[in-house]
Amino acid sequence: MKKEDMVKLISAEGFEFVIDKDAAMVSQTIYNMLTSPGSFAETQHGEVTFPEISTTILEKICKYFYWHLQFASGKETEFPIEPELTLELMMAANYLHT
Amino acid sequence: MKRNRFEMEILKHRLLVDPNYANNTWKILEHAIMDILTNHKLGTLSFENLYRHAYEMVLHNFGEKLYSGIVTTMTSHLSGISKLIEDAQEEFFLEELNQRWADHNKALQMILNILMYMEIAFIPRTHKTPILELGFNLWRDIVMPRTRLRDTLLELVYRERNGEVINRELMRNIIKMLKDLGSSVYDEDFEQPFLEVSADFYSLNSSLSLIENMALLDMIVNDKYEDLGMQYNLFRRVPAGLSIVRDVLNLYIWDTGKQLVADLERLKDPVNFVQCLLDLKDKFDKNISLEFNNDNTFQNALNSSFEYFINLKPSSPEFISLFVDDKLRKGLKGLSEDGVEVLLDRVMMLFRYLQKKDMFEMYYSLHLANRLSSGKTISIGDERSLIDKLKTECRCQFTSKLEGMLIDMKTSQDTSVGGED
């Protein structure tokens, strides 16, 4: 669990999720952020704040990232989504280009 | 489809109260984009923040305002750059141009990343020019000092031909820039004028100057693939040009080959010798395929050179057989099935160059017999494979003799082990 392989995602309420970079980069947006030339504040400190994404949603998204990494290797499982989260989750997914 | 449905849902949920929303948001983005273009304040800009502003502008139907804002901002910035370059002094002109181009590329990539949502959600449906292309076009139309650049490049070529040392890397970068801007730019601004000048030059000089020969040689020896490719493309269109390059390559191959064959040290190590042969062939094959467009005449030249110096050495047939012997004894460990195929094919390639194939046959039978009788062959399959390849190649008696040896071997094995198949 090297520091360089992890990134911190922070929700609107300030909750911090420390996850693997590989997982975070399932989001095309985060991928572009971390691999962009030039230095943005986020890459300097290894943390990204999402003031528009709630803790519940961000947590769900982090789970999705890991699920996706597993799914990519062929295991067929469904990603469970509680119905009340659907809209917000889709909005966040659109935003994160996932 | 699914995306659009959710976008509409999102719009319904957003309350648009502030009439100045678009202007204010654009102002923020404009400042950030200018910072990026001028290389300022890096490390303090927040990707998320900027990305979100751009995202929301597009979502709220202000994509048009965002896009035209970018065009305006980039245009005015590049006008400034254009002036800088115009004012650059002679000796610094190319370097300045090169540096600014690198800066521009980096800035474009950063801007693209921030505006990615616009790029994928707004630009396609409105058929606007994508961001990178836009950036290149603006550069080409506003900054590029085309006449001065063309003249400067031709001047450099001229100077090099007269024996001066020029900054090749810089020139290469500039030419790459021309290519990135579109092949028509490259053609008009460099290739065409270059060819005109070259045609004059070559008609005056029937052979390459010493300097040019050495430059070419340097490229070949040091595997400067990109340089070679460039040279080939240029020479190709000049009448005598190609044969000149071919001659230089030929000479080099002959020379290297002869040296290899004469090397007394190598004579002691057949396996090493053959490996060197293979590596040499590889290098030139790569040269020819990457740089010289798989040109047949080059390939033929390579083949005849190889044939010449392989046969210069009387022990070549024996050595090649010893090489195979060594490999088969060691069992070709660590090689995948494909890897084995490739190795055997390369041996076959050398075999084809041999004039004294019967000598090879003699040695090979000898070595095979040794392997079989001392039980030193690891894979009968591989032995089989090579014999099959030889059979395809030469359909001669000796392959049936070799096959016979294998069958005998198998029979005796079966007999001793008790019929295990």
Side-chain angles (χ1 to χ4, degrees):
Chain A
M1 290 251 282
K2 282 194 292 219
K3 188 165 184 276
E4 306 80 65
D5 299 333
M6 312 297 283
V7 66
K8 192 189 287 187
L9 307 184
I10 307 174
S11 73
E13 292 89 10
F15 272 79
E16 301 181 351
F17 297 90
V18 181
I19 63 172
D20 292 280
K21 269 193 188 156
D22 287 342
M25 298 207 285
V26 169
S27 151
Q28 189 65 39
T29 302
I30 297 181
Y31 176 85
N32 288 341
M33 191 188 304
L34 295 178
T35 57
S36 178
S39 40
F40 289 100
E42 285 86 354
T43 34
Q44 300 266 341
H45 303 119
E47 32 182 87
V48 191
T49 308
F50 295 104
E52 302 278 312
I53 303 184
S54 71
T55 309
T56 328
I57 296 297
L58 189 56
E59 182 183 12
K60 198 72 183 172
I61 285 180
C62 288
K63 287 186 180 166
Y64 175 77
F65 289 155
Y66 281 101
W67 175 86
H68 185 275
L69 286 183
Q70 264 199 319
F71 173 68
S73 58
K75 273 199 206 161
E76 294 257 0
T77 40
E78 265 192 43
F79 183 68
I81 301 180
E82 292 81 352
E84 65 271 15
L85 296 182
T86 311
L87 180 62
E88 276 185 83
L89 204 54
M90 287 298 142
M91 282 164 59
N94 192 42
Y95 177 75
L96 290 173
H97 196 189
T98 301
Chain B
M1 272 284 274
K2 221 176 172 187
R3 256 211 158 96
N4 284 335
R5 194 149 52 90
F6 281 114
E7 276 179 21
M8 292 186 49
E9 286 272 23
I10 292 161
L11 283 174
K12 278 191 225 157
H13 280 76
R14 291 265 180 185
L15 296 171
L16 209 50
V17 175
D18 183 0
N20 277 323
Y21 165 76
N23 284 332
N24 292 341
T25 311
W26 166 242
K27 273 272 163 318
I28 296 173
L29 282 167
E30 186 182 24
H31 278 133
I33 289 176
M34 272 170 48
D35 282 340
I36 290 174
L37 286 170
T38 53
N39 225 358
H40 283 153
K41 292 219 217 121
L42 294 184
T44 61
L45 294 172
S46 162
F47 186 101
E48 197 277 334
N49 190 301
L50 300 170
Y51 177 83
R52 184 159 35 85
H53 285 311
Y55 172 84
E56 287 175 359
M57 272 189 85
V58 174
L59 222 45
H60 297 151
N61 274 328
F62 292 112
E64 187 63 50
K65 184 176 172 68
L66 180 58
Y67 191 85
S68 51
I70 289 156
V71 176
T72 310
T73 310
M74 266 209 257
T75 302
S76 86
H77 169 79
L78 287 178
S79 304
I81 298 288
S82 172
K83 186 93 193 4
L84 265 169
I85 296 201
E86 214 178 281
D87 292 344
Q89 303 231 330
E90 202 53 53
E91 326 76 278
F92 299 118
F93 170 64
L94 277 188
E95 273 180 55
E96 185 71 24
L97 185 60
N98 188 39
Q99 184 59 51
R100 297 291 172 183
W101 170 246
D103 291 344
H104 184 61
N105 269 312
K106 177 175 159 183
L108 271 181
Q109 190 61 46
M110 287 171 77
I111 292 170
L112 172 66
N113 284 337
I114 298 175
L115 302 180
M116 192 55 83
Y117 192 71
M118 180 181 82
E119 177 88 351
I120 60 174
F122 173 79
I123 284 177
R125 69 177 147 93
T126 52
H127 305 295
K128 301 239 188 254
T129 313
I131 292 170
L132 288 184
E133 199 183 320
L134 172 70
F136 284 3
N137 291 347
L138 288 176
W139 176 273
R140 180 196 62 204
D141 297 337
I142 300 172
V143 177
M144 283 281 292
R146 297 175 76 162
T147 314
R148 185 178 178 192
L149 180 60
R150 183 196 64 205
D151 292 342
T152 308
L153 286 177
L154 289 182
E155 159 100 29
L156 278 183
V157 170
Y158 176 75
R159 289 194 349 216
E160 194 187 50
R161 286 198 171 128
N162 285 331
E164 268 182 62
V165 176
I166 63 165
N167 186 339
R168 292 186 129 254
E169 189 180 328
L170 180 57
M171 186 158 172
R172 217 186 7 248
N173 286 342
I174 297 286
I175 292 185
K176 181 167 190 303
M177 172 186 75
L178 288 176
K179 285 185 168 172
D180 289 342
L181 289 175
S183 61
S184 68
V185 175
Y186 172 70
D187 276 341
E188 288 165 33
D189 286 8
F190 182 66
E191 203 173 78
Q192 268 314 114
F194 176 80
L195 288 176
E196 281 169 26
V197 167
S198 302
D200 292 338
F201 180 77
Y202 281 113
S203 60
L204 290 176
N205 302 268
S206 51
S207 61
L208 284 180
S209 69
L210 185 62
I211 302 289
E212 300 228 46
N213 264 319
M214 285 174 62
L216 262 184
L217 259 180
D218 169 58
M219 285 184 229
I220 294 169
V221 169
N222 294 316
D223 291 335
K224 291 190 181 148
Y225 293 123
E226 261 183 52
D227 277 357
L228 275 180
M230 222 166 75
Q231 290 282 349
Y232 176 78
N233 275 323
L234 298 174
F235 277 118
R236 189 159 50 124
R237 285 153 182 165
V238 177
L242 211 44
S243 50
I244 292 173
V245 180
R246 198 167 45 236
D247 287 345
V248 175
L249 187 63
N250 247 345
L251 275 170
Y252 178 66
I253 298 174
W254 270 54
D255 213 56
T256 318
K258 279 202 318 221
Q259 270 181 39
L260 178 62
V261 165
D263 190 337
L264 289 172
E265 279 308 303
R266 296 244 196 269
L267 285 179
K268 300 181 187 161
D269 187 349
V271 179
N272 188 317
F273 169 75
V274 176
Q275 189 60 55
C276 287
L277 274 182
L278 290 174
D279 291 342
L280 201 62
K281 181 77 175 23
D282 246 359
K283 171 178 157 128
F284 289 121
D285 280 341
K286 224 202 281 196
N287 262 330
I288 293 180
S289 85
L290 284 180
E291 305 342 304
F292 300 126
N293 209 20
N294 267 323
D295 192 314
N296 260 343
T297 50
F298 279 77
Q299 194 61 51
N300 292 341
L302 175 60
N303 283 338
S304 53
S305 296
F306 249 73
E307 190 174 330
Y308 173 75
F309 63 73
I310 283 185
N311 290 298
L312 205 56
K313 190 174 161 56
S315 50
S316 287
E318 183 190 356
F319 277 25
I320 295 176
S321 178
L322 280 171
F323 177 80
V324 178
D325 182 68
D326 177 73
K327 296 297 174 198
L328 288 171
R329 278 171 186 264
K330 292 195 178 136
L332 299 171
K333 252 187 301 222
L335 283 180
S336 63
E337 226 178 77
D338 285 342
V340 172
E341 270 301 292
V342 168
L343 182 64
L344 295 181
D345 283 336
R346 294 176 81 198
V347 171
M348 286 311 300
M349 180 258 304
L350 289 180
F351 174 78
R352 280 180 211 111
Y353 286 126
L354 284 175
Q355 280 162 1
K356 296 224 161 74
K357 292 187 164 60
D358 51 351
M359 286 221 69
F360 176 82
E361 160 197 345
M362 185 189 83
Y363 282 112
Y364 192 77
S365 319
L366 207 66
H367 296 151
L368 176 62
N370 269 335
R371 286 199 293 280
L372 293 178
S373 62
S374 58
K376 281 282 199 288
T377 198
I378 310 281
S379 163
I380 294 282
D382 291 340
E383 297 276 5
R384 244 255 105 70
S385 195
L386 186 54
I387 293 178
D388 283 341
K389 288 184 197 293
L390 286 168
K391 205 158 81 169
T392 314
E393 193 63 32
C394 93
R395 279 177 245 113
C396 41
Q397 289 171 324
F398 97 94
T399 48
S400 40
K401 186 165 93 177
L402 296 175
E403 280 181 314
M405 287 166 77
L406 276 192
I407 294 175
D408 287 342
M409 182 69 212
K410 192 170 183 311
T411 316
S412 78
Q413 266 185 344
D414 288 351
T415 319
S416 54
V417 174
E420 220 187 277
D421 219 315

